[in-house]
Amino acid sequence: MDESYVDGRGGSPPRDDASLADIFKTFVRFLLLGFGSLALLFVIQLVLYVVAISVLGPVPEGGLEVQLISFLSLGLGTLVVAGAYLQNSGRDWSFVDIELPSLRDVAWTLGGFVILILGFLAVVSLFDLLGLSPAEHSSTDSIINATPQVILLVLVAQLLVVGPGEELLYRNVIQKSLYDSVGKPRAVVLASVIFSLVHIPAYSAGGASLTGVATTLAAIFVLSLVLGGVYARTENMIVPAVIHGSYNVLSFYSTYATGGGGGTEALAWLF
């Protein structure tokens, strides 16, 4: 594991005295990195669609091919953006915190997953109390109407692609890179804000209200704080990746099994 917060060759310890202007500039820079990954994901997805159509012919909407393209795009997009950032910032892949989980890591994984579930239930209860209606994810209908084969692919991809890919970029790259300029606590908060904001396209499609989108982003921010806090404590990307992937598996399967009537599909998809 790379012990440096600055690069793979060494660096200064974290600081907590950054000015608001410096924090804002740093935040914007990493926010652009997050949205840049979405743009690259779209480009990769478009290329894969063209290749699939040229090879297989028309691709059925919501089918196995579409889901496969979607998850391949996400995996490749986050990996390329993370690698490009590490190279451009003078770091190398030793900056990535991947270790065989210890018993302590396993305990954090189990505990973090429970906290995430409890956090979700608390957020849902609060929104019900306030009369707030979250926006639905753009993929809700396709999941509800998916075949068992597609759902199996979706669930496996959450554990092997979505969780690891997004935790690599938003926790291991963005959050960890923020440690040196703002310190760990504020880095967790800023990375969680970025993580929630990059979900705007996924939840604003289909004519969702501004209030609904804002409600959903607030929920994602709260849940992201848990992932960021767990990563900060364990310094092992595998831990939040497993929590993230497992949480999405539960959320997707709940949406599929209840036909969208379980009330979980609008909030819980952390991708």
Side-chain angles (χ1 to χ4, degrees), residues 23-223:
I23 292 175
F24 180 74
K25 290 178 182 177
T26 302
F27 169 77
V28 170
R29 179 159 59 95
F30 284 109
L31 180 63
L32 292 176
L33 182 66
F35 276 100
S37 72
L38 294 185
L40 180 59
L41 187 156
F42 175 77
V43 172
I44 294 174
Q45 196 170 51
L46 183 61
V47 171
L48 291 178
Y49 268 124
V50 172
V51 172
I53 292 174
S54 64
V55 173
L56 303 174
V59 178
E61 183 179 355
L64 194 63
E65 297 88 349
V66 172
Q67 295 297 332
L68 185 59
I69 288 172
S70 175
F71 293 125
L72 281 175
S73 302
L74 190 150
L76 289 173
T78 53
L79 186 63
V80 169
V81 169
Y85 173 78
L86 291 177
Q87 183 176 18
N88 186 63
S89 60
R91 299 173 171 92
D92 55 36
W93 286 101
S94 65
F95 191 76
V96 177
D97 298 322
I98 296 180
E99 293 184 344
L100 187 65
S102 64
L103 289 177
R104 176 177 177 272
D105 291 336
V106 172
W108 272 105
T109 302
L110 296 174
F113 181 75
V114 171
I115 293 172
L116 207 60
I117 296 297
L118 294 177
F120 167 67
L121 294 176
V123 167
V124 169
S125 298
L126 177 61
F127 288 167
D128 286 343
L129 183 64
L130 298 176
L132 297 174
S133 299
E136 285 191 354
H137 195 280
S138 57
S139 298
T140 298
D141 289 339
S142 63
I143 293 300
I144 293 172
N145 300 312
T147 65
Q149 292 81 4
V150 170
I151 288 299
L152 179 60
L153 173 63
V154 169
L155 299 184
V156 172
Q158 300 309 308
L159 292 171
L160 300 183
V161 179
V162 177
E166 293 197 339
E167 293 309 304
L168 168 66
L169 180 60
Y170 293 100
R171 244 59 67 178
N172 202 148
V173 170
I174 292 179
Q175 178 176 308
K176 185 177 178 180
S177 296
L178 284 166
Y179 288 168
D180 183 64
S181 54
V182 301
K184 274 191 176 183
R186 284 185 286 191
V188 172
V189 173
L190 291 180
S192 296
V193 172
I194 293 170
F195 184 69
S196 62
L197 290 178
V198 297
H199 284 77
I200 290 176
Y203 286 94
S204 59
S209 69
L210 181 61
T211 302
V213 173
T215 300
T216 301
L217 297 184
I220 293 174
F221 168 72
V222 172
L223 301 178

